[in-house]
Amino acid sequence: MINCLRGWPEPIVRVQHLSDSGIRVIPDRYVKQPSERPGLIPDSIETEINIPVIDMSDLHSLDPTLREKTARLIGSACREWGFFQVVNHGVSHELMARTREAWREFFQQPLEEKQRYANSPSTYEGYGSRLGVEKGAALDWSDYFFLHYLPVEIRDQEKWPSLPVACRELVGEYSKEVVKVGGKLMKIFSSNLGLTENYLQESFGGEEMGACLRVNYYPKCPQPDLALGLSPHSDPGGMTLLFPDENVSGLQVRRGDNWITVNPIPNAFIVNIGDQLQVLSNANYKSVEHRVLVNSAKERVSLAFFYNPGGDMLIKPAEQLVEEEAPPLYPAMTYNEYRLFIRTRGPCGKAQVESLKSPT
Ligand code: OGA
Ligand code: NI
């Protein structure tokens, strides 16, 4: 098992450079099965339904009714959607924009500069173009950069891009601020689930929690109706705070049999529940499947910040949420054990968290 994680099974193709080469027909590896293709997408998607939007400043309102109402809204978003957007979250919009621009510049550099950071499947840190190590597997239309921020012991700024020059400092500042937002939400989640305010954060290991950043780069795709930028998956960790592209939408969230396209609000974070919070909440909160569409007109950059348990933390349903009528739905497992599944198999919908369900 460990052995197969040392290297990639075949040469890595950078999707961005495939796209830049001007091909009109995408290689078979990127063509999805007909049932998985995005389907016909109208030019402008103006659906009535969208994921809930939460004004986080209302959590500090002088009006206790508004505070409680906002916390309740967050709770029902986690139960019903597994997704919501937050505005007035306290992170400087300028810092957000500068960080995203630094990453856009990173990807616009020549291939050789980026190759210095080429990653391997043992840690995934660095510049990558695939998840999973199955030879001949179908591939998604995206490249990414993955780095660790927490715990501090595994943070290694030497592995972060040295160019553009501001990149390392921006990533540090940005991550610090996003962790604060995550921490506030963890308290709201805990209280909303009927747990003590610090329960979830302590389950993640407190200060020893994990946090990493994946910057996704979705190049223009000449056949967007045949490919996906990111196949359906649920996020394996605790919660994700996504800062999407300001110009291009693409994220879709599973809602029953439908895919709902998220309309990103400028400067908002799109927050979603990951598998570990689904387990801790004994499935009161949902880690919902999502996927990313590509398009032929514009590339798209998104920053996905993963707020996770420490790797050695044993994650299991909170005892307060387990009763005779609500038996534990998942066995206890450390986050490191859990993650190994995904790293080997690549994105596969909700298959991993579902396959763990205890036979009750
Ligand atoms: C992810 C993810 C969505 C996006 O990185 O896990 O779901 O819009 N990203 O890039
Ligand atoms: Ni995701």
Side-chain angles (χ1 to χ4, degrees), residues 47-56 69-88 185 189 242 251 253-255 260-265 268-273 286 288:
T47 37
E48 295 299 316
I49 5 179
N50 212 333
I51 60 173
V53 177
I54 311 282
D55 184 339
M56 280 186 77
K69 185 179 154 220
T70 309
R72 261 201 319 276
L73 276 177
I74 295 177
S76 51
C78 296
R79 289 164 201 268
E80 286 160 33
W81 283 91
F83 264 88
F84 56 94
Q85 299 195 61
V86 292
V87 298
N88 295 323
L185 291 171
F189 295 164
L242 181 87
L251 175 64
V253 175
R254 163 84 81 185
R255 182 84 166 154
I260 308 287
T261 302
V262 176
N263 258 323
I265 297 178
F269 287 106
I270 300 171
V271 180
N272 67 285
I273 297 297
K286 308 293 183 312
V288 169

Side-chain angles (χ1 to χ4, degrees), residues 214 216 218 230 233 235 240 242 251 290 292 300 302 304 306:
R214 187 166 81 211
N216 299 297
Y218 304 98
L230 203 49
H233 67 284
D235 292 345
T240 306
L242 181 87
L251 175 64
H290 49 286
V292 177
R300 176 171 179 270
S302 72
F306 301 108

